[in-house]
Short mmCIF file of all heavy atoms in Angstrom, two decimals:
data_model
loop_
_atom_site.label_atom_id
_atom_site.label_comp_id
_atom_site.label_asym_id
_atom_site.label_seq_id
_atom_site.Cartn_x
_atom_site.Cartn_y
_atom_site.Cartn_z
N LEU A 1 0.87 -1.19 0.00
CA LEU A 1 0.01 0.00 0.00
C LEU A 1 0.89 1.23 -0.01
O LEU A 1 1.82 1.32 0.82
CB LEU A 1 -0.89 0.02 1.24
CG LEU A 1 -1.94 1.14 1.33
CD1 LEU A 1 -3.12 0.81 0.41
CD2 LEU A 1 -2.41 1.33 2.75
N THR A 2 0.61 2.15 -0.92
CA THR A 2 1.32 3.43 -0.95
C THR A 2 0.31 4.56 -0.72
O THR A 2 -0.90 4.35 -0.85
CB THR A 2 2.01 3.66 -2.29
OG1 THR A 2 1.04 3.65 -3.35
CG2 THR A 2 3.06 2.59 -2.57
N TRP A 3 0.79 5.72 -0.35
CA TRP A 3 -0.11 6.86 -0.14
C TRP A 3 0.60 8.16 -0.48
O TRP A 3 1.82 8.30 -0.38
CB TRP A 3 -0.63 6.90 1.30
CG TRP A 3 0.40 6.92 2.36
CD1 TRP A 3 0.99 8.03 2.94
CD2 TRP A 3 1.02 5.79 3.02
NE1 TRP A 3 1.91 7.64 3.90
CE2 TRP A 3 1.93 6.30 3.97
CE3 TRP A 3 0.84 4.40 2.88
CZ2 TRP A 3 2.69 5.43 4.75
CZ3 TRP A 3 1.59 3.56 3.67
CH2 TRP A 3 2.51 4.06 4.62
N ARG A 4 -0.23 9.10 -0.94
CA ARG A 4 0.26 10.45 -1.19
C ARG A 4 0.33 11.19 0.14
O ARG A 4 -0.21 10.79 1.15
CB ARG A 4 -0.67 11.17 -2.16
CG ARG A 4 -0.79 10.49 -3.51
CD ARG A 4 -1.41 11.40 -4.54
NE ARG A 4 -2.73 11.93 -4.11
CZ ARG A 4 -3.42 12.78 -4.85
NH1 ARG A 4 -2.97 13.22 -6.01
NH2 ARG A 4 -4.60 13.22 -4.44
N LYS A 5 0.98 12.34 0.11
CA LYS A 5 1.08 13.18 1.30
C LYS A 5 -0.33 13.66 1.67
O LYS A 5 -1.09 14.15 0.87
CB LYS A 5 1.97 14.40 1.04
CG LYS A 5 2.08 15.36 2.21
CD LYS A 5 2.65 14.71 3.44
CE LYS A 5 2.70 15.65 4.63
NZ LYS A 5 3.09 14.98 5.89
N ILE A 6 -0.65 13.46 2.96
CA ILE A 6 -1.96 13.88 3.50
C ILE A 6 -1.71 15.09 4.41
O ILE A 6 -1.04 14.99 5.41
CB ILE A 6 -2.59 12.73 4.31
CG1 ILE A 6 -2.70 11.45 3.46
CG2 ILE A 6 -4.00 13.16 4.81
CD1 ILE A 6 -3.05 10.23 4.27
N PRO A 7 -2.29 16.22 4.03
CA PRO A 7 -2.06 17.44 4.83
C PRO A 7 -2.43 17.23 6.32
O PRO A 7 -3.51 16.74 6.64
CB PRO A 7 -2.98 18.48 4.17
CG PRO A 7 -3.15 17.97 2.78
CD PRO A 7 -3.14 16.49 2.85
N GLY A 8 -1.47 17.55 7.18
CA GLY A 8 -1.78 17.45 8.62
C GLY A 8 -1.56 16.10 9.22
O GLY A 8 -1.70 15.92 10.46
N ILE A 9 -1.23 15.11 8.40
CA ILE A 9 -1.00 13.73 8.88
C ILE A 9 0.46 13.36 8.71
O ILE A 9 1.01 13.44 7.61
CB ILE A 9 -1.90 12.71 8.16
CG1 ILE A 9 -3.38 13.05 8.36
CG2 ILE A 9 -1.59 11.30 8.63
CD1 ILE A 9 -3.85 12.97 9.83
N ASP A 10 1.10 12.94 9.79
CA ASP A 10 2.50 12.55 9.75
C ASP A 10 2.67 11.19 9.14
O ASP A 10 1.99 10.23 9.53
CB ASP A 10 3.05 12.54 11.20
CG ASP A 10 4.51 12.15 11.26
OD1 ASP A 10 5.35 12.91 10.75
OD2 ASP A 10 4.79 11.04 11.74
N ASP A 11 3.54 11.07 8.15
CA ASP A 11 3.75 9.79 7.44
C ASP A 11 4.18 8.68 8.41
O ASP A 11 3.76 7.52 8.27
CB ASP A 11 4.78 9.95 6.35
CG ASP A 11 4.22 10.66 5.10
OD1 ASP A 11 3.09 10.32 4.70
OD2 ASP A 11 4.93 11.53 4.57
N GLU A 12 5.09 9.02 9.33
CA GLU A 12 5.57 8.00 10.26
C GLU A 12 4.48 7.52 11.20
O GLU A 12 4.39 6.33 11.54
CB GLU A 12 6.76 8.53 11.05
CG GLU A 12 8.01 8.77 10.20
CD GLU A 12 8.46 7.47 9.52
OE1 GLU A 12 8.72 6.45 10.18
OE2 GLU A 12 8.54 7.48 8.26
N TRP A 13 3.62 8.43 11.63
CA TRP A 13 2.47 8.03 12.42
C TRP A 13 1.56 7.08 11.66
O TRP A 13 1.10 6.09 12.19
CB TRP A 13 1.68 9.29 12.87
CG TRP A 13 0.42 8.93 13.61
CD1 TRP A 13 0.27 8.69 14.95
CD2 TRP A 13 -0.89 8.74 13.04
NE1 TRP A 13 -1.04 8.38 15.24
CE2 TRP A 13 -1.78 8.42 14.09
CE3 TRP A 13 -1.40 8.88 11.75
CZ2 TRP A 13 -3.14 8.16 13.88
CZ3 TRP A 13 -2.77 8.64 11.54
CH2 TRP A 13 -3.61 8.31 12.59
N LEU A 14 1.33 7.44 10.38
CA LEU A 14 0.45 6.61 9.55
C LEU A 14 1.04 5.24 9.36
O LEU A 14 0.33 4.22 9.48
CB LEU A 14 0.20 7.31 8.22
CG LEU A 14 -0.74 6.64 7.23
CD1 LEU A 14 -2.10 6.40 7.87
CD2 LEU A 14 -0.89 7.51 5.96
N TYR A 15 2.34 5.19 9.08
CA TYR A 15 3.01 3.90 8.89
C TYR A 15 2.91 3.06 10.17
O TYR A 15 2.66 1.85 10.11
CB TYR A 15 4.49 4.15 8.55
CG TYR A 15 5.29 2.89 8.36
CD1 TYR A 15 5.19 2.14 7.19
CD2 TYR A 15 6.21 2.45 9.33
CE1 TYR A 15 5.93 0.98 6.97
CE2 TYR A 15 6.96 1.31 9.14
CZ TYR A 15 6.82 0.57 7.97
OH TYR A 15 7.58 -0.58 7.78
N LYS A 16 3.03 3.69 11.30
CA LYS A 16 2.92 3.00 12.60
C LYS A 16 1.52 2.41 12.77
O LYS A 16 1.40 1.28 13.30
CB LYS A 16 3.21 3.97 13.76
CG LYS A 16 3.13 3.33 15.15
CD LYS A 16 4.23 2.28 15.33
CE LYS A 16 4.21 1.77 16.74
NZ LYS A 16 5.25 0.72 16.96
N GLN A 17 0.49 3.07 12.30
CA GLN A 17 -0.86 2.53 12.40
C GLN A 17 -0.98 1.23 11.60
O GLN A 17 -1.62 0.27 12.04
CB GLN A 17 -1.90 3.56 11.90
CG GLN A 17 -1.86 4.89 12.60
CD GLN A 17 -1.77 4.76 14.12
OE1 GLN A 17 -2.62 4.14 14.78
NE2 GLN A 17 -0.70 5.31 14.69
N PHE A 18 -0.38 1.20 10.43
CA PHE A 18 -0.42 -0.04 9.62
C PHE A 18 0.38 -1.17 10.29
O PHE A 18 -0.02 -2.33 10.22
CB PHE A 18 0.09 0.24 8.22
CG PHE A 18 -0.84 1.06 7.38
CD1 PHE A 18 -0.49 2.29 6.88
CD2 PHE A 18 -2.12 0.57 7.06
CE1 PHE A 18 -1.34 3.03 6.12
CE2 PHE A 18 -3.00 1.33 6.30
CZ PHE A 18 -2.60 2.57 5.84
N GLN A 19 1.49 -0.81 10.94
CA GLN A 19 2.26 -1.80 11.70
C GLN A 19 1.44 -2.40 12.82
O GLN A 19 1.42 -3.62 13.04
CB GLN A 19 3.52 -1.19 12.24
CG GLN A 19 4.49 -0.70 11.16
CD GLN A 19 4.97 -1.81 10.25
OE1 GLN A 19 5.69 -2.73 10.69
NE2 GLN A 19 4.55 -1.78 8.99
N LEU A 20 0.74 -1.53 13.56
CA LEU A 20 -0.10 -2.01 14.66
C LEU A 20 -1.24 -2.87 14.14
O LEU A 20 -1.51 -3.95 14.70
CB LEU A 20 -0.65 -0.80 15.43
CG LEU A 20 0.33 0.04 16.23
CD1 LEU A 20 -0.32 1.30 16.72
CD2 LEU A 20 0.86 -0.80 17.41
N LEU A 21 -1.91 -2.45 13.10
CA LEU A 21 -3.04 -3.17 12.58
C LEU A 21 -2.65 -4.52 12.04
O LEU A 21 -3.43 -5.49 12.11
CB LEU A 21 -3.74 -2.36 11.47
CG LEU A 21 -4.68 -1.24 11.90
CD1 LEU A 21 -4.87 -0.26 10.75
CD2 LEU A 21 -5.99 -1.81 12.42
N SER A 22 -1.43 -4.64 11.53
CA SER A 22 -1.03 -5.91 10.87
C SER A 22 -0.28 -6.85 11.82
O SER A 22 0.04 -7.98 11.44
CB SER A 22 -0.16 -5.60 9.67
OG SER A 22 1.07 -4.96 10.06
N LEU A 23 0.01 -6.39 13.07
CA LEU A 23 0.77 -7.23 13.98
C LEU A 23 0.10 -7.29 15.37
O LEU A 23 0.70 -7.04 16.41
CB LEU A 23 2.20 -6.67 14.16
CG LEU A 23 3.16 -6.96 12.98
CD1 LEU A 23 4.37 -6.09 13.08
CD2 LEU A 23 3.53 -8.44 12.96
N HIS A 24 -1.21 -7.63 15.35
CA HIS A 24 -1.98 -7.87 16.58
C HIS A 24 -2.12 -6.63 17.47
O HIS A 24 -2.49 -6.77 18.65
CB HIS A 24 -1.31 -8.97 17.42
CG HIS A 24 -1.37 -10.34 16.79
ND1 HIS A 24 -2.55 -10.96 16.43
CD2 HIS A 24 -0.37 -11.20 16.45
CE1 HIS A 24 -2.29 -12.14 15.93
NE2 HIS A 24 -0.98 -12.33 15.90
N GLY A 25 -1.77 -5.44 16.96
CA GLY A 25 -1.79 -4.27 17.85
C GLY A 25 -0.60 -4.20 18.74
O GLY A 25 -0.59 -3.41 19.72
N GLN A 26 0.43 -4.98 18.43
CA GLN A 26 1.65 -5.01 19.25
C GLN A 26 2.55 -3.84 18.88
O GLN A 26 2.79 -3.55 17.73
CB GLN A 26 2.38 -6.33 18.99
CG GLN A 26 3.61 -6.56 19.80
CD GLN A 26 4.17 -7.99 19.60
OE1 GLN A 26 3.50 -8.96 19.91
NE2 GLN A 26 5.35 -8.06 19.02
N ASN A 27 3.02 -3.11 19.90
CA ASN A 27 3.77 -1.90 19.64
C ASN A 27 5.22 -2.09 19.32
O ASN A 27 5.98 -1.12 19.12
CB ASN A 27 3.61 -0.91 20.80
CG ASN A 27 4.31 -1.36 22.07
OD1 ASN A 27 4.67 -2.53 22.19
ND2 ASN A 27 4.46 -0.44 23.00
N LYS A 28 5.70 -3.35 19.27
CA LYS A 28 7.05 -3.67 18.82
C LYS A 28 6.96 -4.86 17.86
O LYS A 28 6.30 -5.86 18.19
CB LYS A 28 7.96 -4.06 19.99
CG LYS A 28 8.42 -2.88 20.86
CD LYS A 28 9.42 -3.43 21.92
CE LYS A 28 9.86 -2.30 22.81
NZ LYS A 28 10.79 -2.80 23.86
N ASP A 29 7.63 -4.76 16.74
CA ASP A 29 7.67 -5.94 15.87
C ASP A 29 8.75 -6.92 16.34
O ASP A 29 9.51 -6.61 17.29
CB ASP A 29 7.88 -5.55 14.39
CG ASP A 29 9.21 -4.86 14.12
OD1 ASP A 29 10.16 -5.04 14.90
OD2 ASP A 29 9.31 -4.17 13.09
N ALA A 30 8.80 -8.07 15.72
CA ALA A 30 9.72 -9.12 16.18
C ALA A 30 11.19 -8.66 16.14
O ALA A 30 12.00 -9.01 16.98
CB ALA A 30 9.54 -10.37 15.36
N LEU A 31 11.52 -7.86 15.12
CA LEU A 31 12.89 -7.40 14.97
C LEU A 31 13.26 -6.47 16.13
O LEU A 31 14.38 -6.59 16.71
CB LEU A 31 13.07 -6.68 13.62
CG LEU A 31 14.49 -6.28 13.26
CD1 LEU A 31 15.37 -7.53 13.12
CD2 LEU A 31 14.46 -5.50 11.92
N ALA A 32 12.38 -5.58 16.50
CA ALA A 32 12.66 -4.64 17.60
C ALA A 32 12.83 -5.36 18.92
O ALA A 32 13.64 -4.99 19.75
CB ALA A 32 11.54 -3.61 17.70
N LYS A 33 12.08 -6.47 19.09
CA LYS A 33 12.15 -7.22 20.34
C LYS A 33 13.44 -8.01 20.49
O LYS A 33 13.73 -8.52 21.57
CB LYS A 33 10.93 -8.19 20.44
CG LYS A 33 9.61 -7.47 20.73
CD LYS A 33 8.46 -8.41 20.50
CE LYS A 33 8.55 -9.63 21.42
NZ LYS A 33 7.43 -10.58 21.17
#
C-alpha cells in the first residue's frame, strides 16, 4: 500500500498505524524485540 502526502497527517504516524493493525496491535515488531 502506498499513499500520497496527507495534509496534517505525519507519514511516520500513519506507517505506525499499519504496523499495529497488521501485528496484533503489538507496539514492537519481532525485529525490535
Side-chain angles (χ1 to χ4, degrees):
L1 185 78
T2 60
W3 56 90
R4 300 194 305 178
K5 177 61 182 172
I6 306 168
I9 300 296
D10 180 68
D11 283 316
E12 292 302 303
W13 174 86
L14 184 55
Y15 180 76
K16 181 65 175 178
Q17 303 315 300
F18 289 117
Q19 297 299 292
L20 291 170
L21 280 162
S22 64
L23 285 166
H24 293 302
Q26 185 173 296
N27 69 345
K28 285 184 181 179
D29 63 22
L31 187 62
K33 287 168 60 183

